[in-house]
Amino acid sequence: MIFYKNFILFTFIILLNYGCSSLPNNIAGNFRDAFDAIGAGIFGFDDYPITKEMVDAIPYASLRMKIGKGSAGLLILESVEKKSYTWVSADNVFIVVNKNGRIIETAGLTNNLKESLTTKLEDSFFENPVILDSFVKTTRFISLDNPPVNNLTLEVSLRFIGTEEVVILGQNKELQLVEEQIENKYIRWKFTNKFWLDPETGFTWKSIQQIAPNIPPVLYEVTKKPAL
């Protein structure tokens, strides 16, 4: 009930600042439509511009998310629990992101990540990517719902790349880039995830991840940081 009231307040603020006629249908990301289009073999959607003024008008933490070549949308922070952040779109797509910036659970997609079991070695790497060895190898187990898969094994290799300048809503940030190669040879799934971290706090401002072999990569940028 609290979140429902907050979402109504958020909608009211958007309407107040931009007017009903200028409010796009995908202001918080109509990701189901994007997936329907992907299933039909249609790729490429125009993004509605998400501006700093729009984000500043919203009294909640937010992130911009784009799945494959679908249109980008704005998600609002719904809750924080055990250093994990739950973000939600207007059409009830949920993603849960852990303290390392990794997507560990989703809901509302055509194939959802139900669980992602990471290791202490992985957590240690994200806390100190610069001072650790060039490569850290570990194993992860994930569970999916379509098709149902329990404890799919992924071989994981983490590598610190260096410092890059990233622009989010017109603001330049000097961030540390960590690349993570995930692989399951049996199903021939291989992908390189990327995380851009704040060098002082370790907070992930931007990431590209593939959460399932039949889901396009997910790109997100944090447009307003949650209170830590």
Side-chain angles (χ1 to χ4, degrees):
M1 182 62 71
I2 293 176
F3 172 70
Y4 176 79
K5 292 180 179 178
N6 288 342
F7 192 79
I8 293 298
L9 177 60
F10 154 62
T11 304
F12 172 76
I13 291 172
I14 290 293
L15 291 173
L16 182 64
N17 283 274
Y18 295 94
C20 294
S21 62
S22 64
L23 184 65
N25 291 330
N26 70 333
I27 184 62
N30 199 337
F31 296 111
R32 285 200 187 90
D33 286 349
F35 273 94
D36 289 341
I38 288 171
I42 301 172
F43 293 86
F45 296 83
D46 293 333
D47 291 340
Y48 184 87
I50 297 171
T51 65
K52 187 176 185 301
E53 291 74 21
M54 180 186 296
V55 168
D56 288 345
I58 303 169
Y60 308 107
S62 60
L63 64 76
R64 174 183 179 272
M65 190 169 82
K66 183 179 179 75
I67 302 176
K69 294 183 180 180
S71 56
L74 200 66
L75 278 71
I76 305 302
L77 182 65
E78 191 265 347
S79 62
V80 180
E81 184 177 356
K82 297 180 180 179
K83 297 184 179 180
S84 293
Y85 305 92
T86 298
W87 304 85
V88 62
S89 75
D91 55 349
N92 293 319
V93 170
F94 288 80
I95 65 168
V96 181
V97 179
N98 72 3
K99 64 178 181 179
N100 297 331
R102 178 175 316 291
I103 299 172
I104 58 173
E105 187 177 351
T106 66
L109 304 181
T110 57
N111 187 10
N112 289 293
L113 180 62
K114 306 305 293 182
E115 187 175 45
S116 180
L117 301 176
T118 57
T119 64
K120 291 183 179 180
L121 180 61
E122 179 183 321
D123 292 338
S124 297
F125 181 87
F126 274 87
E127 291 171 2
N128 300 287
V130 179
I131 64 175
L132 293 181
D133 295 336
S134 297
F135 283 92
V136 168
K137 292 190 176 182
T138 183
T139 303
R140 181 179 309 136
F141 299 93
I142 67 170
S143 297
L144 306 167
D145 72 353
N146 186 26
V149 176
N150 292 319
N151 294 325
L152 177 68
T153 303
L154 297 180
E155 300 300 324
V156 179
S157 298
L158 291 159
R159 180 172 63 148
F160 173 68
I161 302 300
T163 302
E164 285 192 0
E165 186 174 275
V166 175
V167 180
I168 299 177
L169 292 184
Q171 296 183 325
N172 297 341
K173 299 181 183 295
E174 293 290 333
L175 303 177
Q176 295 175 339
L177 172 59
V178 169
E179 286 190 352
E180 172 194 77
Q181 181 177 290
I182 57 172
E183 183 175 12
N184 182 290
K185 294 180 181 178
Y186 181 75
I187 62 172
R188 298 181 181 179
W189 178 24
K190 187 175 182 179
F191 191 78
T192 299
N193 298 324
K194 296 183 179 182
F195 303 82
W196 285 266
L197 317 176
D198 187 302
E200 296 183 1
T201 65
F203 180 79
T204 299
W205 281 96
K206 178 179 178 179
S207 182
I208 301 173
Q209 304 174 45
Q210 189 173 27
I211 62 173
N214 60 343
I215 294 290
V218 177
L219 165 67
Y220 76 74
E221 298 175 338
V222 177
T223 48
K224 181 181 287 187
K225 183 179 178 182
L228 300 178

